[in-house]
């Protein structure tokens, strides 16, 4: 029987030197942490934050190996050909798993990791969090994406989120001001990090509610980790459950995960930091990719609404511009610019990815420890994913 982890079971950090841990978190987000220290941090399931368990359930869903294992592949990027060692070493990859039709074609660990290592998701958690909104709609706990946020979060009435729909929130088009620059200590994202470090319940939501509106809802796309924290609050308000517990009940405990995972909290007993901070193994991230590739069905039960995944993962028009962003999932085009494969990814800073290609039945999970939050990859990851699809045909 599944046991949900309530407040009494929330695990708090027991760091010997909490100030040093906080300093490491700041240095990591600033892109100033030295490689060995960063590796240790990314393998730490807590950092300086409290966590809540995402409980696994019954029998492990074994991932069989393909008859032919992929030893190398040609990675074509910007007119240059690379090989697998180039991608692994130059992009500082700690774990890589490629699957075709549910069978492992390549599994590689490096930088001191192995199959049991739980690794930080960073913003891959955003894609997981919005998937819970789909589950809540399927459960009829949320009416639909065009409902107003304040129907479920009345504390946002009178704030810049008043008049914002769930759809606007999921698309990051609320119009609420936010600067997500990790390396700028004055940005809202770094100020949110300080609130995470302070571990004060409710402080992040108060900070978000205080932000000004700078554009009409639905008119401008602006990447915002703050929006995902509101998603977590919405899941809690609509379902009466913490994100970690609802994720466990609806998905994690039912798709054969190998390990419990954990999720950072804003404070002991508080909301999950829904925009980051899931800690799970490489194989379990890949299993979540398989769930998404299944269309959101487990066994004979539909967990996500019909067509939810297509709607959540496709490019869309925002104002006068096409935005390659769905409900906090990233559509991935083929090299010719086509989205015909319906491919998409969850992605996080420092090089964390779950890539799903439904048409070709390819899943790629990547865990990395790059030198900077963004832009430190030598070989663009989407080029690697497309090359992997070609190699697995």
């Amino acid at each position: 029987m599944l046991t949900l982890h309530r407040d009494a079971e929330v695990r708090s950090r027991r760091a010997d030197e909490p100030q040093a841990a906080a300093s490491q978190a700041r240095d990591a987000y600033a892109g100033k942490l030295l490689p060995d220290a960063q590796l240790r941090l990314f393998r730490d399931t807590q950092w300086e934050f409290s966590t809540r368990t995402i409980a696994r359930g019954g029998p492990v869903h074994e991932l069989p190996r393909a008859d032919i294992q992929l030893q190398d592949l040609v990675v074509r990027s910007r007119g240059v050909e690379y090989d697998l060692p180039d991608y692994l070493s130059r992009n500082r990859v700690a774990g890589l798993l490629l699957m075709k039709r549910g069978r492992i074609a390549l599994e590689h660990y490096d930088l001191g990791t192995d199959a049991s290592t739980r690794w930080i998701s960073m913003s891959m958690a955003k894609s997981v969090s919005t998937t819970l909104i789909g589950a809540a709609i399927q459960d009829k706990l949320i009416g639909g994406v065009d409902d107003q946020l304040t129907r479920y979060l009345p504390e946002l009435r009178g704030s810049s989120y008043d008049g914002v729909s769930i759809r606007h929130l999921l698309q990051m088009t609320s119009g609420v001001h936010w600067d997500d620059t990790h390396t700028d200590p004055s940005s809202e994202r770094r100020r949110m990090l300080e609130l995470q470090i302070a571990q004060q319940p409710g402080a992040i939501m108060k900070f978000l509610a205080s932000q000004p509106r700078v554009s009409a809802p639905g008119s401008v796309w602006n990447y915002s980790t703050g929006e995902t924290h509101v998603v977590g609050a919405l899941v809690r308000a609509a379902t009466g459950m913490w994100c970690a517990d609802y994720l466990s009940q609806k998905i994690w405990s039912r798709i054969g995960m190998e390990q419990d995972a954990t999720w950072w909290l804003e404070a002991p007993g508080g909301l999950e930091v829904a925009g980051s901070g899931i800690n799970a193994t490489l194989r379990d991230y890949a299993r979540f990719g398989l769930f998404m590739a299944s269309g959101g069905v487990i066994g004979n039960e539909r967990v996500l609404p019909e067509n939810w995944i297509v709607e959540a993962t496709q490019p869309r028009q925002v104002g006068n511009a096409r935005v390659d962003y769905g409900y906090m999932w990233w559509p991935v085009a083929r090299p010719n610019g086509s989205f015909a494969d319906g491919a998409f990814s969850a992605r996080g800073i420092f090089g964390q990815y779950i890539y799903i290609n439904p048409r070709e039945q390819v899943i790629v999970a990547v865990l990395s420890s790059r030198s900077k939050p963004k832009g430190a990859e030598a070989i663009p990851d989407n080029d690697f994913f497309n090359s992997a699809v070609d190699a697995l045909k």
Side-chain angles (χ1 to χ4, degrees), residues 2-164:
L2 172 65
T3 301
L4 298 181
H5 293 249
R6 300 298 182 184
D7 289 352
E9 295 162 313
V10 170
R11 188 163 59 94
S12 297
R13 183 173 179 87
R14 298 184 296 275
D16 295 330
E17 299 180 6
Q19 290 183 344
S23 178
Q24 280 201 330
R26 295 185 187 101
D27 286 347
Y29 275 71
K32 299 295 184 183
L33 204 57
L34 293 176
D36 283 351
Q38 183 167 289
L39 281 170
R40 289 193 297 272
L41 190 66
F42 285 11
R43 291 192 298 259
D44 181 353
T45 60
Q46 289 185 269
W47 294 34
E48 67 287 349
F49 313 134
S50 302
T51 62
R52 183 171 287 117
T53 298
I54 307 167
R56 62 169 300 275
V60 171
H61 171 60
E62 299 295 342
L63 300 176
R65 296 200 171 270
D67 293 337
I68 299 175
Q69 292 293 293
L70 195 62
Q71 302 297 321
D72 199 0
L73 68 155
V74 176
V75 183
R76 295 179 176 86
S77 178
R78 299 175 291 196
V80 179
E81 290 190 354
Y82 302 92
D83 59 16
L84 182 61
D86 289 332
Y87 178 72
L88 294 171
S89 60
R90 297 188 190 194
N91 280 16
R92 198 164 168 77
V93 173
L96 173 65
L97 193 151
L98 276 62
M99 287 195 294
K100 176 78 171 184
R101 296 190 181 92
R103 302 176 72 88
I104 296 174
L106 187 152
E107 185 173 14
H108 175 79
Y109 297 94
D110 217 326
L111 306 178
T113 67
D114 58 32
S116 67
T117 302
R118 288 191 293 190
W119 190 270
I120 186 65
S121 70
M122 296 303 184
S123 289
M124 291 196 298
K126 291 179 170 66
S127 305
V128 176
S129 297
T130 58
T131 300
L132 297 181
I133 299 297
I137 291 172
Q138 181 67 18
D139 284 345
K140 303 189 184 310
L141 300 172
I142 293 176
V145 295
D146 292 317
D147 284 359
Q148 294 290 297
L149 273 179
T150 51
R151 174 178 172 182
Y152 305 91
L153 296 169
E155 64 269 30
L156 293 178
R157 289 175 184 153
S159 77
S160 294
Y161 284 98
D162 205 341
V164 171

Side-chain angles (χ1 to χ4, degrees), residues 318-345:
V318 179
N320 295 320
R322 191 192 82 186
V323 176
D324 292 342
Y325 197 64
Y327 293 165
M328 305 190 194
W329 288 92
W330 298 85
V332 179
R334 291 291 287 155
N336 64 3
S338 168
F339 290 94
D341 285 358
F344 55 96
S345 71

Side-chain angles (χ1 to χ4, degrees), residues 5 66 69 185 211 239 272 278 287 300 335 377-378:
H5 293 249
Q69 292 293 293
Q211 296 302 307
T239 69
E272 288 81 0
I278 293 174
R287 288 182 177 94
N300 295 320
E377 66 277 4

Side-chain angles (χ1 to χ4, degrees), residues 180-199:
D180 215 71
T181 307
H182 297 83
T183 53
D184 181 356
S186 66
S187 72
E188 279 70 36
R189 181 62 190 96
R190 287 291 295 278
R191 292 169 68 186
M192 180 179 170
L193 176 64
E194 292 301 320
L195 294 175
Q196 291 175 241
I197 291 169
Q199 293 279 279

